[in-house]
Amino acid sequence: MNDAALHTPESLRSRSEAVAATLPALMADAQHLAATVLLGVHGRKRAGMGDEFWQYRPAQAGDGYRQIDWRRSARSDGHFIRQTEWQAAQSVMLGVDDAASMTFTGHRNRPSKLRRAQTLAMALAIVSVRGGERVGLTHLAEPPRGGTAQLMRMAQALMDSDALGDYGAPKPQTMPMGGRAVFLSDFFGDIAAIEAALGRAADREVKGALVQVLDPDEEVFPYDGRTVFESMTGAIRFETLKARSLREAYLARLAERKAHLQDLCRRTGWRYHLHHTDQPAEPTLLWLYRALEKVRG
């Protein structure tokens, strides 16, 4: 199908109806998932510029006299600094690979890689917004924002995909200086594009995490005998009578890709996590929440 066919009034209306039908389910899943970590949001405090009192701490070498709270210090033998809560909202940018390979599922009772990535992204966005932060999607040329309306805009944008290729790669348009980002993908695409995206993030002092989302069938390669392998778009097709003979080479390539991603994260200060679609999403969301706390600027 060519680009013109994708943007006729009929095709646009059909896509809009499909998005409208699935958007409530995505938001319901994301809100349910977000509830698993929302209780921990209120523990997120750090000292910095702000108005709300946080704590007193003993004065240290290098503190100026103007920083000392003389009223509090008068009640003790030492000098104390009044610290306020850090209130400058930070940005969390989310990138979800929507290429055709992400629509794969090895069993009808398992979500596709794309649906799981979308749910994780929106759940993290919900947690972040309720923690007072701004969120956005990396592939949109729009600044991150807070609030419920922004969450709905993001969910709509995630569901309204124009991806045409078999494999994707992060192509961030919006990366606020010093913010944080998460890319969710199977990362089967061009490794050079992934390296470039993390390089641009490092240049802007952006830290974050790569979440590799895989179907369990992609981990074990459960194919034997005569098998026809076809890409999700149908652009690539390969038939073999001895599928099992390909297993060792395939698993070696997969292990090599994982190792490359982990090394890339180590070199750029990012973190790597592997998620399987047959496993609950809650542990991965909690891992993401904690990982972003650790790289918080």
Side-chain angles (χ1 to χ4, degrees), residues 94-265:
L94 303 168
V96 176
D97 181 0
D98 60 357
S101 68
M102 290 291 289
T103 64
F104 174 75
T105 179
H107 195 280
R108 65 178 182 275
N109 292 332
R110 286 198 295 267
S112 68
K113 295 181 290 183
L114 177 59
R115 181 53 183 266
R116 180 55 59 85
Q118 291 170 334
T119 303
L120 282 167
M122 286 308 306
L124 183 59
I126 291 169
V127 172
S128 299
V129 164
R130 294 189 183 177
E133 301 189 80
R134 302 186 301 267
V135 295
L137 296 174
T138 60
H139 72 281
L140 300 179
E142 299 176 359
R145 300 183 178 93
T148 302
Q150 174 67 354
L151 293 174
M152 293 304 298
R153 282 192 292 267
M154 290 174 60
Q156 180 88 25
L158 286 176
M159 301 299 292
D160 190 15
S161 170
D162 280 332
L164 299 176
D166 275 317
Y167 305 106
K171 297 177 181 178
Q173 294 191 47
T174 309
M175 298 283 276
M177 190 74 178
R180 290 161 295 157
V182 175
F183 295 137
L184 301 102
S185 171
D186 54 19
F187 296 111
F188 286 168
D190 181 10
I191 195 66
I194 301 170
E195 292 174 339
L198 263 66
R200 289 195 298 273
D203 290 342
R204 297 190 60 77
E205 299 180 9
V206 174
K207 296 291 182 65
L210 299 183
V211 178
Q212 187 173 26
V213 182
L214 297 179
D215 185 275
D217 282 7
E218 294 173 324
E219 290 277 21
V220 299
F221 199 81
Y223 309 110
D224 193 10
R226 182 178 180 274
T227 307
V228 176
F229 296 98
E230 189 172 52
S231 67
M232 299 303 291
T233 65
I236 302 173
R237 190 175 188 277
F238 175 75
E239 182 176 352
T240 179
L241 298 177
K242 299 179 179 180
R244 182 177 293 272
S245 65
L246 303 176
R247 185 173 185 271
E248 186 175 341
Y250 167 82
L251 293 179
R253 289 287 299 275
L254 180 61
E256 180 183 357
R257 176 54 61 98
K258 290 179 184 177
H260 198 140
L261 293 171
Q262 293 174 51
D263 180 64
L264 182 58
C265 285

Side-chain angles (χ1 to χ4, degrees), residues 8-53:
T8 64
E10 291 77 12
S11 65
L12 290 173
R13 182 169 59 251
S14 176
R15 286 169 52 207
S16 297
E17 291 172 352
V19 169
T22 54
L23 185 58
L26 171 62
M27 287 303 295
D29 288 347
Q31 289 167 350
H32 178 75
L33 180 56
T36 63
V37 299
L38 276 174
L39 291 178
V41 165
H42 301 293
R44 183 188 307 200
K45 288 179 181 267
R46 61 180 287 184
M49 299 301 294
D51 299 320
E52 296 185 13
F53 171 74

